[in-house]
Amino acid sequence: MSDAVLFDARDDGIAVITLNRPETRNCLDQAMREGLRDAWNRFEYDPALRVAILTGSGDETFCAGGDLKEMVNTAMAAPPRDMFALPYDTVELSKPTIAAVNGVAYAGGWMIAQACDLCVASTTAKFAVTEVKVGRSSPWASPLIHMIPQRIMMEILLTGKPISSARAYEIGLVNRLAEPADLMATALDLATEILSGAPLSVKAARETVMLSTEMGRSAALKAARHVSEHCYNSDDAQEGPAAFAEKRRPQWMGR
């Protein structure tokens, strides 16, 4: 792993991935991009890890976006399709992810926070899609239409104006708010709530949400039934009701 991105594989099944270049506002330079790709792949292929939390080091910046100096030096036009390691897009992931936004999340910082399944934000965090301010574009923002209302999305993209974490929570971009000192604890609590569920049920639930986002009602129902078959036929599907009837905690096996 690059020291630009720290990886903490906890014993409880949670991976904490930290952008670790506060002196450059955690911008997505080459070292950061390579470190993120390695971190996501390590998370995906470690069977002991079930949920990942992505955060930034320092108190002021989650990620300020792409490396503008690199763009100037390379005369970058459209970035390569696989330039950024985005969960569920350019990186194949099958497990839940949480963005713990500790500060500024601008441009590419918004992009990687948006790519995660869930978002917890500090009360001091700010979000902005600033591409219109620097003559760039934000095609990656298109999935926002499934997260926030159209007119709000339009204003955010057309103006490039930052919004507070409170506003991000109000419009549905953020799941939970926390005081700065409590951010990681809040993210870990959310991850722990996910871990309490049966692994195959969590996997099927996540796939159901994504299928519902991509498809119409009838097609999504059919596809969701299909992805749920493995869950229904698992040992855990018998363990859950048995544990409830016996008034004990279930012992999930993930099979």
Side-chain angles (χ1 to χ4, degrees):
M1 290 295 301
S2 162
D3 63 358
V5 177
L6 305 180
F7 191 96
D8 179 18
R10 294 164 48 102
D11 293 337
D12 56 6
I14 301 171
V16 178
I17 300 169
T18 305
L19 308 177
N20 190 41
R21 283 288 188 267
E23 68 277 8
T24 62
R25 306 185 76 197
N26 293 327
C27 77
L28 297 172
D29 59 16
Q30 183 174 355
M32 189 73 78
R33 297 194 303 267
E34 292 175 356
L36 268 176
R37 192 174 303 278
D38 290 344
W40 290 129
N41 285 330
R42 180 175 173 183
F43 166 61
E44 175 67 10
Y45 293 109
D46 187 336
L49 298 174
R50 291 182 51 201
V51 182
I53 297 172
L54 175 66
T55 193
S57 61
D59 298 325
E60 299 181 358
T61 307
F62 171 72
C63 174
D67 186 349
L68 295 180
K69 292 181 179 178
E70 178 186 33
M71 295 178 191
V72 171
N73 292 337
T74 61
M76 185 184 296
R81 173 71 178 82
D82 61 351
M83 182 173 178
F84 299 103
L86 295 180
Y88 322 109
D89 184 358
T90 59
V91 176
E92 293 292 334
L93 289 185
S94 60
K95 306 174 186 180
T97 54
I98 301 169
V101 180
N102 54 300
V104 167
Y106 287 177
W110 180 310
M111 175 180 70
I112 59 176
Q114 175 188 303
C116 294
D117 288 320
L118 301 166
C119 184
V120 176
S122 164
T123 53
T124 59
K126 292 184 179 180
F127 297 80
V129 181
T130 56
E131 275 73 359
V132 295
K133 301 293 188 181
V134 292
R136 305 294 290 178
S137 189
S138 52
W140 50 264
S142 55
L144 268 178
I145 199 64
H146 299 292
M147 303 178 187
I148 65 177
Q150 182 194 44
R151 289 185 183 273
I152 295 174
M153 177 180 172
M154 190 73 77
E155 180 179 352
I156 287 169
L157 267 61
L158 293 186
T159 67
K161 184 177 179 180
I163 61 173
S164 67
S165 58
R167 176 61 172 162
Y169 177 78
E170 180 183 27
I171 64 177
L173 182 69
V174 167
N175 295 89
R176 299 183 184 181
L177 291 175
E179 293 301 319
D182 299 327
L183 176 67
M184 187 51 64
T186 302
L188 288 169
D189 284 346
L190 180 55
T192 301
E193 289 179 23
I194 295 170
L195 288 173
S196 69
L200 295 179
S201 296
V202 169
K203 185 175 187 295
R206 189 193 172 278
E207 291 179 358
T208 296
V209 173
M210 299 313 294
L211 288 168
S212 300
T213 302
E214 298 290 337
M215 299 178 175
R217 180 179 180 276
S218 296
L221 279 168
K222 182 177 181 181
R225 291 189 188 104
H226 175 73
V227 301
S228 295
E229 284 295 322
H230 185 42
C231 171
Y232 281 135
N233 292 319
S234 69
D235 292 341
D236 282 350
Q238 302 304 314
E239 166 64 8
F244 179 82
E246 296 166 13
K247 297 182 176 165
R248 59 175 175 83
R249 295 186 65 177
Q251 301 297 312
W252 305 125
M253 302 298 292
R255 64 172 189 265

